[in-house]
Amino acid sequence: KNKRMGFFGSMFGNHSSAVVKEMIDKGAVIIDVRTPAEFQGGHVAGSKNIPLQNIQSKVSEIKKMNKPVVLCCASGARSGQATGFLKQQGIQCENGGGWMQVNNLVR
């Protein structure tokens, strides 16, 4: 679909871990865009599971949270796609990359 999405995915969120950590410290919502099965296998404590294919239908729900959002997945590719989409919807968000990477910032 969108060429820019692939570009976000290739960044893996590494460059912005300081920004992501600051957002988490200030109470950002962590949204994991992996499948429910992947999420069950391990996730960041307190994170919400909204699979990538459901993100579009959950925009109003995410806006109602009224908090910045950190997205994560397995590697940062799917969360990169979700981040690009949510930014277009006017939601303040960053791609945290892989969930284990984000988990390290939470502790």
Side-chain angles (χ1 to χ4, degrees):
K1 275 187 274 186
N2 187 333
K3 286 270 190 285
R4 266 177 1 142
M5 295 296 193
F7 173 66
F8 279 117
S10 65
M11 293 194 299
F12 292 111
N14 291 332
H15 70 293
S16 62
S17 61
V19 174
V20 170
K21 177 155 180 45
E22 188 179 345
M23 287 172 70
I24 291 168
D25 290 346
K26 289 181 177 169
V29 177
I30 299 169
I31 296 177
D32 190 318
V33 298
R34 294 176 299 154
T35 65
E38 286 176 287
F39 188 76
Q40 295 287 300
H43 56 265
V44 179
S47 62
K48 295 185 185 318
N49 184 211
I50 303 177
L52 181 60
Q53 64 269 26
N54 299 347
I55 284 284
Q56 280 177 296
S57 64
K58 299 283 188 181
V59 168
S60 60
E61 192 181 302
I62 294 167
K63 283 186 173 177
K64 277 187 200 131
M65 293 174 187
N66 218 7
K67 289 183 173 182
V69 174
V70 170
L71 294 116
C72 64
C73 62
S75 66
R78 283 174 285 177
S79 53
Q81 289 181 2
T83 301
F85 171 73
L86 292 177
K87 281 188 173 174
Q88 288 171 344
Q89 308 307 308
I91 293 170
Q92 186 195 344
C93 58
E94 286 296 330
N95 180 8
W99 75 270
M100 289 191 234
Q101 210 174 309
V102 173
N103 206 30
N104 290 335
L105 300 176
V106 171
R107 287 179 190 156

